[in-house]
Amino acid sequence: MRISKAMLEKSWAWSTGAGAVVFAAVAGMDLWLKSLTGVSTTDLQGFSSAAQFRLAFHAWAPEPYAVRAGFALGLDYLLIPLYAASFFLSGVIVAESFTPGRSPLRRYVLMAAMVAPVGALLDAVENALQINMLLYGPTEGLARIAFSVSNAKTVAVTVGVVLLIGAVVAKLGMRKAKARPVVEP
């Protein structure tokens, strides 16, 4: 399937902008939860034992906090497809802007772009495990699995952020190139 450059750029801008808005909402809710309880849903990513999860859930035990944490984890499911699309399209933009024709480097950049959807799937699994432990109680096995999935997701998101930065650089470079006057000798 082929996509026009205009549609690629429009889809990238839309997914990146919408993702930034949802990310700001999720981050704001998470910071609010951390200020109220001392533990945020982001902190769960670094937990590797059931005891750590139990302590976090204990901090959220008073009525509204567990609901807020669950809502933040659930809202993350809205962010997941947005950042996956943004990061994937960023990889395509980077490949189009910085790699020549059918070079091995182009294939590597496009393979890196495929890391974003994998990271999104890992993020969905991580959230599902955390919500499950929030509702039914943590176990050592689930805590270790969630920790491993979280680490893999972090690597994938880091690759995506690098591609996003590359796409922004490519877009800024194109703007500057268009703005420069052409001087003929």
Side-chain angles (χ1 to χ4, degrees):
M1 179 177 165
R2 295 197 144 276
I3 184 171
S4 70
K5 190 169 185 166
M7 187 61 164
L8 170 69
E9 291 174 3
K10 182 179 176 183
S11 299
W12 175 75
W14 184 87
S15 63
T16 302
V21 169
V22 175
F23 177 76
V26 170
M29 289 175 48
D30 212 30
L31 288 172
W32 185 37
L33 182 66
K34 186 165 182 114
S35 71
L36 295 172
T37 64
V39 182
S40 68
T41 59
T42 305
D43 294 336
L44 300 180
Q45 295 176 24
F47 295 171
S48 60
S49 71
Q52 291 171 310
F53 280 99
R54 276 190 209 94
L55 286 173
F57 300 157
H58 180 70
W60 296 338
E63 185 56 38
Y65 303 126
V67 172
R68 287 179 184 166
F71 186 76
L73 288 169
L75 188 59
D76 196 31
Y77 281 108
L78 180 59
L79 177 62
I80 290 170
L82 294 172
Y83 81 69
S86 174
F87 292 166
F88 175 76
L89 295 172
S90 294
V92 174
I93 290 171
V94 167
E96 291 293 320
S97 300
F98 297 118
T99 59
R102 294 182 179 263
S103 69
L105 179 59
R106 181 182 187 87
R107 281 192 293 265
Y108 296 142
V109 170
L110 291 173
M111 282 191 279
M114 291 304 299
V115 171
V118 172
L121 290 173
L122 292 170
D123 197 359
V125 169
E126 173 194 32
N127 285 0
L129 290 169
Q130 291 170 350
I131 290 171
N132 182 299
M133 288 188 282
L134 179 63
L135 294 173
Y136 303 112
T139 65
E140 286 300 323
L142 285 178
R144 280 192 299 266
I145 292 169
F147 181 71
S148 298
V149 168
S150 180
N151 286 336
K153 177 212 64 171
T154 300
V155 170
V157 168
T158 302
V159 169
V161 168
V162 169
L163 291 172
L164 179 62
I165 291 168
V168 169
V169 168
K171 301 306 291 170
L172 292 176
M174 283 189 247
R175 259 197 208 123
K176 286 183 181 178
K178 287 179 185 177
R180 270 186 251 148
V182 177
V183 179
E184 293 189 29

